[in-house]
Amino acid sequence: MPTATALLTDRYELTMLAAALADGTAGRDCVFEVFARRLPHGRRYGVVAGTGRLLEALPAFRFGDAELATLRDQGLTDPRLLDWLAGFRFSGDVDGYAEGELFFPGSPVLTVRAPFGEGVLLETLALSILNHDSAIASAAARMVAAACERPCIEMGSRRTHEEAAVAAARAAHLVGFGASSNLEAGRRYGVPTTGTSAHAFTLLHDDERAAFRAQVDTLGVGTTLLVDTYDVEQGIRTAIEVAGPGLGAIRLDSGDLPTLATRARQLLDELGATGTRVIVTSDLDEYAIAGLMAAPVDGYGVGTSLVTGSGAPTAGMVYKLVARDGVPVAKRSEGKNSVGGRKSAVRRHAPDGTATAEVVSSAPVEPRPGDRDLVVPLVRDGELCQPASPGEALQRARQHHARVRGTLPAEAWALSRGEPALETLSA
């Protein structure tokens, strides 16, 4: 993270703050909510991700001398505004869905209660983190489901911004990806990292055998050899000749993957390498993974589609003022309306534990058997409720997601376009 996050915002937050300071409304007690009006087209559920990163960033959201100088350079010279920012420290409360939780249209994913001046400053930071990470986690969760317990590896760092790559690796691990190729994700969040070689390493050597020999000598027979640089079948034969039948895995990165994987499995078994795994890569998404379900594949490496949200690069969340001095307020714009008042939310379940509905209300929800409260305290008076290291926070979210995804009804796992798996009800 940068040493300060205060400039990761939009200028209009500061112009609103300046005007509110001038007319005396900046101190009004306000409630802001983050929610998505709808899920990306055809998606059945979303996954809340990024809450841990937002809580990491919050203490550093301060305006020091360097930040104030930058504002002056950009024409923000109002003395009242700059003096207020110089002493700014978030002192409000934050509640929200636990990271890793599922969300649906209207779910109050994050609630900020603070004086207007403090709450409005967090809008861009909160949305940029939650929209990106939730989009990646939601796409990755569909890939994990399509893989049906076969391991998935995140390997999309070269297809996105360098910091987005770290966040994407974190979000993917949260929903069940076993490892990432990104070393910074390993350092910062404890995500397991993995990686062997690319085609360039094979092309570096005089022949495939020499490349395989160098890799096995360095990494051991448990390594994964990339066998499709030239001819796949010959590559597999050479790999087993060099490493022996104890070779850890082969990787296929091009061509007709279902056919190649089937032939690869047959050939490996014929060569006595019955324990050698078949790993596939090459522009996979959830649909391609599902299409490989009948093939003898042992794991998937996913890159571009994961780090771009597999067609939905944002979760579509918004940050809206819903109460002012205890009075509900709401936006009435056509197609962009909001519901006033601070929300409570519960997930309703059948007796067998299957989730049946999301209940969101501006009034307290009358509890029923099987209801689970979804909104939990995150920050009180500016202080984190459950301080944790970045790695601990990620593992907590990963465990929570594993628990709640098991409550989804069967139709939630369909990859075909459809309505959200749970209806959002008003109490």
Side-chain angles (χ1 to χ4, degrees):
M1 296 295 297
T3 55
T5 54
L7 297 182
L8 299 178
T9 191
D10 288 312
R11 179 164 174 157
Y12 86 151
E13 317 291 6
L14 299 185
T15 58
M16 286 189 285
L17 173 57
L21 288 169
D23 73 2
T25 56
R28 283 187 167 182
D29 182 50
C30 289
V31 177
F32 295 85
E33 285 181 349
V34 175
F35 61 93
R37 292 189 176 93
R38 61 194 64 87
L39 298 180
H41 184 57
R43 296 286 176 91
R44 308 298 181 96
Y45 61 92
V47 179
V48 177
T51 311
R53 292 209 304 123
L54 177 60
L55 296 179
E56 285 177 47
L58 191 58
F61 197 94
R62 306 291 293 273
F63 291 84
D65 292 343
E67 289 74 34
L68 295 173
T70 296
L71 296 183
R72 292 188 187 94
D73 290 343
Q74 295 183 18
L76 291 161
T77 58
D78 181 344
R80 183 188 292 107
L81 172 66
L82 296 176
D83 287 347
W84 191 93
L85 292 174
F88 170 76
R89 170 190 172 278
F90 182 74
S91 64
D93 297 341
V94 181
D95 297 276
Y97 282 28
E99 189 167 22
E101 186 59 77
L102 310 172
F103 72 89
F104 300 90
S107 296
V109 168
L110 196 79
T111 302
V112 176
R113 180 179 178 179
F116 177 82
E118 296 185 21
V120 76
L121 283 182
L122 299 185
E123 176 182 7
T124 301
L125 182 67
L127 288 180
S128 62
I129 291 176
L130 293 175
N131 268 319
H132 174 269
D133 289 23
S134 296
I136 304 306
S138 299
R142 286 161 57 87
M143 297 171 188
V144 170
C148 292
E149 306 300 326
R150 295 174 179 175
C152 295
I153 300 169
E154 185 282 317
M155 46 190 296
S157 294
R158 292 166 292 169
R159 300 293 187 262
T160 190
H161 183 276
E162 64 272 17
E163 279 296 326
V166 181
R170 179 187 184 279
H173 187 62
L174 189 159
V175 297
F177 271 61
S180 170
S181 64
N182 190 285
L183 295 177
E184 179 60 13
R187 183 192 73 85
R188 196 179 297 179
Y189 298 111
V191 177
T193 60
T194 189
T196 51
S197 66
H199 293 101
F201 185 75
T202 302
L203 296 170
L204 168 69
H205 292 79
D206 294 337
D207 55 42
E208 200 169 45
R209 181 181 298 274
F212 289 172
R213 172 53 61 194
Q215 184 174 328
V216 170
D217 286 349
T218 303
L219 300 178
V221 297
T223 192
T224 299
L225 295 178
L226 181 59
V227 296
D228 69 341
T229 304
Y230 305 116
D231 177 81
V232 172
E233 291 204 17
Q234 184 55 53
I236 293 172
R237 294 181 185 279
T238 302
I240 300 306
E241 289 173 7
V242 169
L247 175 65
I250 62 164
R251 178 161 75 96
L252 302 171
D253 188 53
S254 58
D256 180 357
L257 293 177
T259 301
L260 288 175
T262 299
R263 177 55 186 148
R265 181 74 270 156
Q266 292 172 344
L267 183 55
L268 287 168
D269 290 346
E270 291 171 6
L271 296 172
T274 56
T276 300
R277 294 170 295 120
V278 178
I279 307 299
V280 297
T281 53
S282 185
D283 291 328
L284 299 180
D285 61 12
E286 61 266 47
Y287 301 103
I289 292 172
L292 285 161
M293 183 44 55
V297 172
D298 299 291
Y300 308 91
V302 191
T304 303
S305 289
L306 189 147
V307 298
T308 57
S310 194
T314 175
M317 294 179 181
V318 295
Y319 186 99
K320 296 301 176 185
L321 181 66
V322 297
R324 178 199 68 233
D325 287 334
V327 178
V329 296
K331 183 178 176 180
R332 301 303 183 196
S333 305
E334 185 177 353
K336 292 188 175 182
N337 63 297
S338 59
V339 177
R342 181 172 186 157
K343 312 302 184 302
S344 56
V346 301
R347 184 148 309 138
R348 199 142 280 168
H349 298 81
D352 66 357
T354 301
T356 59
E358 190 95 339
V359 183
V360 177
S361 176
S362 299
V365 178
E366 187 68 28
R368 296 184 185 178
D371 282 0
R372 178 168 64 86
D373 288 330
L374 296 171
V375 178
V376 299
L378 301 173
V379 176
R380 286 292 177 269
D381 299 324
E383 301 294 335
L384 302 187
C385 293
Q386 290 186 295
S389 71
E392 289 170 343
L394 175 57
Q395 290 308 310
R396 182 189 300 158
R398 180 178 166 93
Q399 292 163 8
H400 181 75
H401 177 74
R403 288 192 297 269
V404 300
R405 69 180 289 132
T407 68
L408 280 171
E411 59 267 25
W413 307 116
L415 295 180
S416 58
R417 290 177 177 174
E419 297 301 312
L422 300 184
E423 183 180 4
T424 304
L425 305 175
S426 298

